[in-house]
Amino acid sequence: QVQLVESGGGLVQAGSSLRLSCAASGSISSINVMGWYRQAPGQQRELVATITTGHSTRYTDSVKGRFTISRDNVKNTASLQMDSLKPEDTAVYYCNLRGAPNWEDFWGKGTLITVSS
């Protein structure tokens, strides 16, 4: 099994920055994808960004140019640097990991980001 723990959530003003971190532990595949998803009240959970073991990245259009995902394959951690935050970024952010060969999803408990205007 894999356990994921997020940290770094909080209340910030629009235009400011915040950095989220995710620490993975347990039986982690050497080939995996880590990512960040978010869910606003009354909304479906959506993908924010993903990063592979080989450091290939993808972002949803609404965060391109503002958010940066990174990872450390030795420490089994992933981070999300969020700049120029907007009120519409307000959500619970979840860390995700899926690994070879079965590509089973593992999720953190989530951390709340609130962006005030």
Side-chain angles (χ1 to χ4, degrees), residues 2 19 26-27 30-31 39 44 50 55 59 63 66 94 97-98 102 105 110 115:
V2 175
R19 187 176 182 87
S27 184
S30 61
I31 302 174
Q39 187 168 24
Q44 290 186 292
T50 61
H55 300 279
Y59 299 89
V63 308
R66 299 189 298 120
Y94 297 90
L97 183 150
R98 58 188 189 274
N102 299 321
D105 275 294
V115 184

Side-chain angles (χ1 to χ4, degrees), residues 46-116:
E46 66 172 349
L47 183 148
V48 177
T50 61
I51 183 167
T52 69
T53 314
H55 300 279
S56 296
T57 60
R58 295 183 184 274
Y59 299 89
T60 191
D61 287 343
S62 63
V63 308
K64 288 180 179 177
R66 299 189 298 120
F67 291 9
T68 303
I69 189 170
S70 61
R71 66 181 294 161
D72 186 325
N73 291 343
V74 176
K75 296 181 178 180
N76 292 129
T77 58
S79 297
L80 185 68
Q81 177 66 42
M82 302 182 290
D83 298 323
S84 301
L85 283 162
K86 303 175 181 179
E88 51 262 44
D89 294 319
T90 296
V92 176
Y93 284 69
Y94 297 90
C95 183
N96 169 267
L97 183 150
R98 58 188 189 274
N102 299 321
W103 304 104
E104 179 183 5
D105 275 294
F106 297 94
W107 296 93
K109 294 181 179 179
T111 185
L112 177 63
I113 302 297
T114 302
V115 184
S116 65

